[in-house]
Amino acid sequence: MWTDMRLALRIAGRAAQVAERAFRAGEFGVRLKEDGSEVTPADLEVEDLVRRLLAEAVPEDGVAGEERPERVGTSGRRWLVDPISGTADFVAGRPTYSVDLALENALAVSAMPSLGITMAAGRGIGCRIFRGEKEEVARVSSRDKVDGARVCLHGKRKPTLEQCVVVDGSTSVLDLITGRVDAVIAAGAGLDEFDMACLPVLVEEAGGRVTVVEEDVVLATNGVLHDAFLALLVARPGVEPGTPGL
C-alpha cells in the first residue's frame, strides 16, 4: 500500500503542477461536452500526463479517466482519474479545484495546488493532510448532536435542515476530514464515479462514513452522526437508504 501511495502522491503532484500553471495563466479554453459539462485543454493535458506516468510505473493496471477512453488492465487493479475536479471553480478563477487520483477502493489522493494542500488516504493506513512540508493526521469531528451540527450542502436538491448550521462548501471534503464540519450532503449534484473516486477512502480513513442514499444523493459524516442524518434524508419522499461506502 505504501508503494502505491508514494506513486500516487508523486503522479498527482506532477499533474497538479500542470493544472496550476494553466490556472495561473488563465488559459481555460472552455468547451462543452455532449453531456453539457465543461472541459478545458488543461483537463486533457493533466489526464494524459497521469495516464502516461501510470503506464510507465504500473503497465498492467487499468486506468479510467473522465476525459479519455478506459484502458483495461490485466492485474485486476483499476486507477480512476479526475484531472480537474471542480472545473467550474477552475474556469471561474476559484482556487478550490483539485486533481484527483484513486486506486479503486484502496487509496485516494486529492491535490489542491492553488491552496497548497494535498489529501491522501489508504485502506488501513489512515488519512493525512499535506500542507507544503507539514504533514498531519486527518480526523473527523466527534460531535454527537444534530442540533447545531455544521453541514455543507451541494446540488439542486438541498434538504432543509433547520436544526443545523449550513456553512460554505467550497472545501467540504477537507473540512469534513479535519473536523471543521460534521456532515456533507450532495443531492442532485450529478456526481459520477470520478467525482466519487476519492471520497469514501478519504472520509472513512479519517474516521467518518459515506453512504450513497440514492443515485444522486450522497451523505458523508463524522460517523457518530451518520444514522441521524441518514434518517433525516430517508424521511424525504422518494429517498431510500443505499449501500454504505462505494
Side-chain angles (χ1 to χ4, degrees):
M1 180 64 73
W2 285 111
T3 299
D4 290 326
M5 177 60 76
R6 286 190 288 269
L7 173 65
L9 284 168
R10 178 174 63 83
I11 292 176
R14 287 187 58 181
Q17 291 174 353
V18 173
E20 181 66 1
R21 282 198 298 270
F23 179 78
R24 290 184 178 275
E27 298 173 350
F28 303 132
V30 183
R31 65 175 175 82
L32 295 181
K33 296 188 288 188
E34 291 183 1
D35 63 2
S37 61
E38 295 178 324
V39 64
T40 72
D43 287 273
L44 302 177
E45 185 178 2
V46 168
E47 182 165 328
D48 288 346
L49 173 62
V50 172
R51 285 173 172 270
R52 177 172 62 80
L53 294 175
L54 285 172
E56 292 172 355
V58 283
E60 296 181 352
D61 289 357
V63 182
E66 194 164 46
E67 310 302 340
R68 301 293 194 192
E70 181 169 354
R71 176 170 68 84
V72 178
T74 59
S75 67
R77 305 191 333 157
R78 183 171 180 253
W79 295 84
L80 297 172
V81 186
D82 191 348
I84 297 180
S85 180
T87 302
D89 287 345
F90 181 80
V91 301
R94 294 188 290 266
T96 48
Y97 74 93
S98 62
V99 174
D100 293 352
L101 176 61
L103 179 57
E104 195 169 26
N105 298 319
L107 66 80
V109 174
S110 180
M112 307 173 75
S114 293
L115 300 180
I117 294 172
T118 296
M119 301 175 282
R123 295 296 186 190
I125 62 175
C127 182
R128 289 167 174 77
I129 309 294
F130 298 91
R131 305 176 192 268
E133 298 299 318
K134 295 179 61 178
E135 177 183 344
E136 63 188 72
V137 175
R139 293 298 299 175
V140 295
S141 75
S142 58
R143 185 179 185 85
D144 60 0
K145 297 184 183 301
V146 170
D147 287 354
R150 299 155 295 178
V151 183
C152 296
L153 300 178
H154 298 280
K156 299 177 181 178
R157 296 168 53 199
K158 299 180 180 69
T160 300
L161 301 172
E162 295 179 353
Q163 66 271 58
C164 301
V165 178
V166 177
V167 300
D168 174 68
S170 57
T171 56
S172 57
V173 177
L174 175 66
D175 291 340
L176 178 61
I177 66 175
T178 54
R180 289 195 290 271
V181 303
D182 309 300
V184 177
I185 300 171
L191 300 177
D192 59 22
E193 69 171 332
F194 303 107
D195 297 312
M196 295 294 297
C198 290
L199 182 67
V201 180
L202 289 172
V203 172
E204 291 166 7
E205 286 299 313
R209 288 176 60 189
V210 177
T211 295
V212 179
V213 182
E214 62 174 17
E215 184 177 356
D216 65 345
V217 180
V218 177
L219 171 67
T221 74
N222 67 352
V224 180
L225 291 171
H226 201 79
D227 290 339
F229 272 105
L230 188 58
L232 291 176
L233 292 179
V234 171
R236 295 165 50 235
V239 177
E240 298 295 336
T243 303
L246 284 176

